[in-house]
Amino acid sequence: MPRESKRAKRERGVEVCRRMGELYPDVESALSFDGPFTLVICVLLSAQTTDVAVNKVTPELFRRWPTPQAMAAAEVLEVEDVIHSLGFYHTKARHCVECAQAIIASFGGEVPGTMEELVTLPGVGRKTANIVLNKAFGVVDGIAVDTHVYRIASRLRLVDAPTPAQAEPQLLDVLPRELWGPVNEQWIHFGRETCTSQRPKCDACALVDLCPSAFKANGKPNARPRRRSS
């Protein structure tokens, strides 16, 4: 493939976002939350597990500890008992309690509303902070680049970074700021339904003409429809 100019890449990125908007015009978060605090905890718990799995444990979690004040006083072992079905539940339980304690100690019991403040909370990195800012405060300060967003951006060759964290600034440089807001949710759905990790459905993909990796996911030939012999 010939080297693509930055302008051409940006134009292709804008068209990707336009088509994603047509595919998922009203997409909402799959996580169940009712405010900034429960959202922080939900996103913290969702690392390396599914939203479905998180939604199974959070009703009991938030029944017992619905506020930062309640969670800050929880015993980590008790939180572990509630979320033990999730991966890395030992660390996540500790982060839930420590995060609540930090919200009390540093922010008067209110979840902070800036990137700089959110990333000081235990267990909260830039990806989590981006989601909380977007969903809880209506602030778009970046793009939450999870495994789905990273996979799609890499296959589209909008980024060439070795990690999701390093991919975010590249993606922000390619996409106009006014398009950042819905990227995470739309691309997550697209990654689950079409651009899957192992067997992407390139033959049914709305972006196939924009994708340099079409039918070559992970560098290998993939799922090109076969012609039937007559």
Side-chain angles (χ1 to χ4, degrees), residues 38 93 140 160 200:
T38 54
V140 179
D160 60 2

Side-chain angles (χ1 to χ4, degrees), residues 28-117:
E28 297 291 340
S29 174
L31 293 169
S32 298
F33 63 93
D34 62 6
F37 175 67
T38 54
L39 177 59
V40 169
I41 299 300
C42 283
V43 181
L44 185 157
L45 295 177
S46 70
Q48 299 188 48
T49 192
T50 66
D51 293 343
V52 172
V54 173
N55 289 339
K56 287 180 180 178
V57 304
T58 49
E60 176 63 11
L61 185 72
F62 295 139
R63 184 189 71 79
R64 296 177 65 174
W65 304 291
T67 65
Q69 291 78 7
M71 186 73 77
E75 294 290 337
V76 172
L77 288 176
E78 293 183 4
V79 177
E80 286 184 3
D81 286 341
V82 174
I83 68 168
H84 73 276
S85 61
L86 303 180
F88 305 98
Y89 70 93
H90 294 296
T91 299
K92 290 178 180 180
R94 176 169 52 82
H95 281 161
C96 283
V97 175
E98 291 178 349
C99 180
Q101 291 171 343
I103 290 170
I104 298 294
S106 300
F107 303 106
E110 299 292 332
V111 175
T114 70
M115 175 65 70
E116 293 74 19
E117 293 171 324

Side-chain angles (χ1 to χ4, degrees), residues 111-133:
V111 175
T114 70
M115 175 65 70
E116 293 74 19
E117 293 171 324
L118 281 167
V119 296
T120 67
L121 300 176
V124 176
R126 185 173 172 87
K127 176 175 75 71
T128 297
N130 269 321
I131 294 172
V132 173
L133 287 173

Side-chain angles (χ1 to χ4, degrees), residues 9-43:
K9 182 181 291 188
R10 285 178 170 172
E11 290 175 350
R12 193 161 53 87
V14 168
E15 179 61 13
V16 166
C17 290
R18 187 190 69 79
R19 296 188 195 182
M20 288 287 198
E22 290 183 346
L23 290 171
Y24 308 105
D26 301 306
V27 68
E28 297 291 340
S29 174
L31 293 169
S32 298
F33 63 93
D34 62 6
F37 175 67
T38 54
L39 177 59
V40 169
I41 299 300
C42 283
V43 181

Side-chain angles (χ1 to χ4, degrees), residues 116-171:
E116 293 74 19
E117 293 171 324
L118 281 167
V119 296
T120 67
L121 300 176
V124 176
R126 185 173 172 87
K127 176 175 75 71
T128 297
N130 269 321
I131 294 172
V132 173
L133 287 173
N134 192 334
K135 295 296 182 182
F137 298 105
V139 174
V140 179
D141 199 31
I143 295 172
V145 179
D146 64 359
T147 55
H148 294 289
V149 175
Y150 178 59
R151 181 173 66 251
I152 293 165
S154 297
R155 286 178 177 171
L156 287 167
R157 298 188 192 168
L158 298 177
V159 304
D160 60 2
T163 68
Q166 290 170 290
E168 187 193 2
Q170 293 185 11
L171 196 56

Side-chain angles (χ1 to χ4, degrees), residues 209-226:
D209 59 311
L210 302 175
C211 182
S213 303
F215 302 102
K216 299 181 296 184
N218 303 320
K220 299 177 182 179
N222 174 70
R224 186 182 291 275
R226 295 181 178 177

Side-chain angles (χ1 to χ4, degrees), residues 164-184:
Q166 290 170 290
E168 187 193 2
Q170 293 185 11
L171 196 56
L172 299 183
D173 187 50
V174 170
L175 302 180
R177 189 181 185 95
E178 63 268 20
L179 300 181
W180 294 355
V183 166
N184 179 260

